[in-house]
Amino acid sequence: TATIWRGTSADRATMLLKNDAVIGSSPALSSLASDVVARRAVRPDGPSEGDQTLISGRLDWLAAAGRSEDLAQMIAQLPNEAPWLAWKQWLVETQLMSRRDADACRNVMYQAGRTFEAFWHKAKVICTAVHTGDIAGAQFAADILLAMGVDDPVFAGLVGKLLNGTDP
């Protein structure tokens, strides 16, 4: 149930997550452990200072176990700020690859308005072209990235193919 962590300290829960002996020991135990880690639950007992460590441990565990859908659900609930931005990038990449453009582009547009980090602005170019269909706006955004010194030949090739139909 949602009270699975009741009576467990946050430190103990984190230690259990770091102990990967269960993964691979048996299919039944691996499945049970995956379900426990992925389950939405009341946080373990103890001070909240360890919450970030516990959440990071759960995310790492789910990633190592290949539980992408559970991982995506958990990441979607995280705040849109540090220290979770690397996971948010993973989520956007995953959503774009699975053609969930609306979900991905909502996150991208939010982050692109808050930061100058190249990833978010590259993703904004893709979202502008693919999700909204604004080729001219996407080309303009790509030109700005180039003018700012973003040197990424793979991205340039993708944008050229996407916006102009040129072979990379």
Side-chain angles (χ1 to χ4, degrees):
T1 68
T3 60
I4 191 131
W5 297 108
R6 184 180 343 158
T8 304
S9 71
D11 291 339
R12 179 120 171 114
T14 301
M15 185 275 303
L16 290 169
L17 288 169
K18 290 181 179 177
N19 182 356
D20 61 355
V22 171
I23 295 178
S25 60
S26 84
L29 281 177
S30 291
S31 178
L32 176 61
S34 292
D35 290 344
V36 166
V37 174
R39 176 170 288 286
R40 188 177 189 143
V42 176
R43 62 182 288 287
D45 297 335
S48 62
E49 293 87 38
D51 286 354
Q52 183 176 324
T53 303
L54 180 61
I55 292 170
S56 292
R58 288 178 71 188
L59 295 171
D60 291 340
W61 200 97
L62 289 169
R67 299 282 300 247
S68 297
E69 289 180 27
D70 294 321
L71 185 60
Q73 287 178 356
M74 191 175 290
I75 293 168
Q77 297 174 45
L78 294 172
N80 287 316
E81 54 197 42
W84 312 114
L85 292 179
W87 285 110
K88 291 291 185 169
Q89 286 181 15
W90 176 89
L91 180 61
V92 164
E93 291 168 351
T94 301
Q95 289 169 331
L96 287 172
M97 287 188 289
S98 61
R99 297 184 179 244
R100 293 176 34 216
D101 299 342
D103 294 334
C105 292
R106 186 174 28 261
N107 287 326
V108 166
M109 296 307 184
Y110 176 79
Q111 291 298 339
R114 295 180 52 177
T115 182
F116 291 115
E117 189 176 335
F119 170 84
W120 297 107
H121 289 276
K122 289 178 192 178
K124 181 181 177 184
V125 170
I126 303 301
C127 285
T128 302
V130 173
H131 185 62
T132 64
D134 181 5
I135 302 301
Q139 185 64 62
F140 181 71
D143 291 344
I144 289 174
L145 281 172
L146 183 62
M148 289 174 53
V150 174
D151 182 25
D152 184 342
V154 174
F155 177 72
L158 174 64
V159 168
K161 180 70 172 171
L162 184 65
L163 302 180
N164 307 319
T166 58
D167 284 332

